[in-house]
Amino acid sequence: MPMKSFPKLRPTAWDGLVALCVVLLAAALAFFQWRGETGDLTAVVSVDGTEVDRFSPDDLLEGPRTYTGGGYTLEVALSIDYEHPASSALPPSGQTGLRVAASDCPTQDCVHTGTITRSGQSIVCLPARIIVRLEGGKAEGGAVDAVLG
């Protein structure tokens, strides 16, 4: 019984066109992913999964904002990061962010989260079902895009 031979497959011009389209699509997606976010940093507050407020962190210079959910109250305030002790002659870093200054929830996890300063960071209060997250802003060079696993 003779052995069946398989035809030799050779790339055609259509194969080259498909490969070129895949490479161009990958390059376009990479460009849009790595170009960095534009616009100012914006705080978004959600209660029970519904957005209730959107503001610039600089708006908190006038005073903290209060939010109520699940029978609890949170006070969101502006935080200025001073890397050096107040007695130091060095100037403050000037980095600002948001923090939960006070909450009457039982666990106080939202207060202990500390200050959030970059896009994508959030503070969550589970008992109150309130989420404070930062969006927008400019991408930082050398910052981690994602953590898996």
Side-chain angles (χ1 to χ4, degrees):
M1 190 171 189
M3 192 69 136
K4 203 174 194 183
S5 65
F6 292 102
K8 291 190 175 187
L9 300 177
R10 295 187 179 146
T12 65
W14 289 110
D15 295 328
L17 182 62
V18 168
L20 179 64
C21 288
V22 168
V23 168
L24 289 176
L25 180 62
L29 290 173
F31 171 75
F32 285 114
Q33 176 66 31
W34 291 320
R35 68 184 171 139
E37 296 182 31
T38 58
D40 294 331
L41 199 59
T42 303
V44 179
V45 180
S46 302
V47 178
D48 259 344
T50 304
E51 184 177 315
V52 295
D53 199 5
R54 181 178 287 264
F55 60 91
S56 169
D58 293 336
D59 292 349
L60 293 177
L61 288 170
E62 301 165 5
R65 293 186 182 205
T66 304
Y67 302 97
T68 303
Y72 300 104
T73 303
L74 270 70
E75 186 176 284
V76 177
L78 184 67
S79 176
I80 300 176
D81 182 23
Y82 291 94
E83 291 179 0
H84 315 292
S87 61
S88 172
L90 297 172
S93 67
Q95 186 175 21
T96 60
L98 297 179
R99 64 184 174 88
V100 174
S103 175
D104 59 359
C105 66
T107 61
Q108 297 286 303
D109 289 335
C110 51
V111 176
H112 297 299
T113 297
T115 302
I116 57 174
T117 58
R118 295 185 314 270
S119 178
Q121 291 181 319
S122 62
I123 299 174
V124 178
C125 182
L126 288 177
R129 297 183 301 247
I130 297 176
I131 300 172
V132 179
R133 72 178 187 276
L134 292 176
E135 294 180 349
K138 298 197 186 282
E140 294 180 21
V144 176
D145 290 331
V147 176
L148 300 175

